[in-house]
Amino acid sequence: MKASVYRFKGNNWETHPAGPPVEETSVSLALCFASKEMLKDAGVYDLLKTKFPGARVAMCSTAGEIYHDSVQDHSLVVAALQFDKTTIGTSSVSI
């Protein structure tokens, strides 16, 4: 397994320098953390699927996104996980 952390802010993607690089096209699971307002944007899912086309995507709203050693506002932070032998399945529930 490889894991890398990304941030999307100001229309730019940034990769956390401490993580090992992952092949973005081989990411299996993208765990996305963002403000409620950002997640309401219909284009956020397409943005993630463009960056990580093979990934299953899980999104969660936050009151601040942790990136590096600070709390960010109005950003999208993604933990991108690349598995060698694990199959990921997802489902959705409206609460």
Side-chain angles (χ1 to χ4, degrees), residues 6-21:
Y6 292 77
R7 175 177 71 161
F8 185 79
K9 189 169 186 173
N11 289 324
N12 293 310
W13 283 104
E14 178 183 336
T15 307
H16 194 287

Side-chain angles (χ1 to χ4, degrees), residues 32-66:
C32 171
F33 304 91
S35 68
K36 184 177 175 181
E37 293 77 24
M38 184 168 242
L39 292 178
K40 284 183 179 180
D41 183 340
V44 74
Y45 182 79
D46 292 335
L47 178 75
L48 290 164
K49 289 304 285 182
T50 298
K51 183 73 170 172
F52 310 107
R56 302 291 185 158
V57 175
M59 295 185 266
C60 180
S61 63
T62 67
E65 303 80 50
I66 299 171

Side-chain angles (χ1 to χ4, degrees), residues 61-81:
S61 63
T62 67
E65 303 80 50
I66 299 171
Y67 186 76
H68 281 285
D69 57 357
S70 64
V71 177
Q72 309 287 308
D73 288 318
H74 309 294
S75 68
L76 182 70
V77 174
V78 180
L81 307 173

